[in-house]
Amino acid sequence: MIRRLFLLAALALITTTPSFAQDNDIDAQIKKALEDVNKPAAKKPDMEKMERETKAQIDQAEAAEKADEAKQKAAAQAVVDVKGPVSLPDWTPQVPQFTPSGPPARKLVDGEPKVIQIGTLAAFPGSVV
């Protein structure tokens, strides 16, 4: 009986000792974290500097995007400015109610070069297509 009591006491002591050690480790970690927060600002990031760098990167990206858009628009305009005969494709269906008001022309439509024909529809007098 005494042996069993002694065995249970030893077992209880062995199993609870590591849990006390973990509590001490957690307390030490909490203290260290609090000390890190209170350290001088030398280790903290300089937010103003980071904001300036980020703004500079955004400005560079925007400038590059605008340059690309200008190049694309210039290329599309070059296609429109090409000299030569302009005609609609052969597969374009004929619309009997449509009366052209001039020859087909190359123009930019939504930023893309297209061949367009301007005129009126007899079904809708006064409308321009």
Side-chain angles (χ1 to χ4, degrees), residues 1 5 7 11 19 23 25 28 34-35 42-43 50 54 56 59 64 69 71 76 79 84 93 118-119 123 126:
M1 181 77 152
L5 184 61
L7 183 60
L11 184 61
S19 65
D23 288 341
D25 288 342
L34 290 175
E35 289 173 2
K43 289 192 175 187
M50 289 173 63
T54 304
D59 291 342
E69 288 176 5
K71 287 180 184 177
V79 171
I118 298 175

Side-chain angles (χ1 to χ4, degrees), residues 22-98:
Q22 289 176 355
D23 288 341
N24 290 338
D25 288 342
I26 292 172
D27 290 339
Q29 291 174 356
I30 291 173
K31 286 180 184 177
K32 184 177 180 187
L34 290 175
E35 289 173 2
D36 289 345
V37 169
N38 295 327
K39 283 188 178 179
K43 289 192 175 187
K44 292 182 182 176
D46 185 8
M47 294 305 287
E48 291 178 5
K49 182 179 177 184
M50 289 173 63
E51 287 176 4
R52 285 192 304 265
E53 291 173 356
T54 304
K55 188 174 185 315
Q57 290 174 350
I58 291 171
D59 291 342
Q60 287 176 350
E62 287 176 351
E65 186 176 327
K66 285 181 182 179
D68 288 342
E69 288 176 5
K71 287 180 184 177
Q72 290 174 355
K73 187 173 182 180
Q77 188 64 41
V79 171
V80 170
D81 294 340
V82 170
K83 299 293 181 195
V86 178
S87 63
L88 294 170
D90 293 336
W91 53 264
T92 305
Q94 296 296 319
V95 180
Q97 300 91 354
F98 181 74

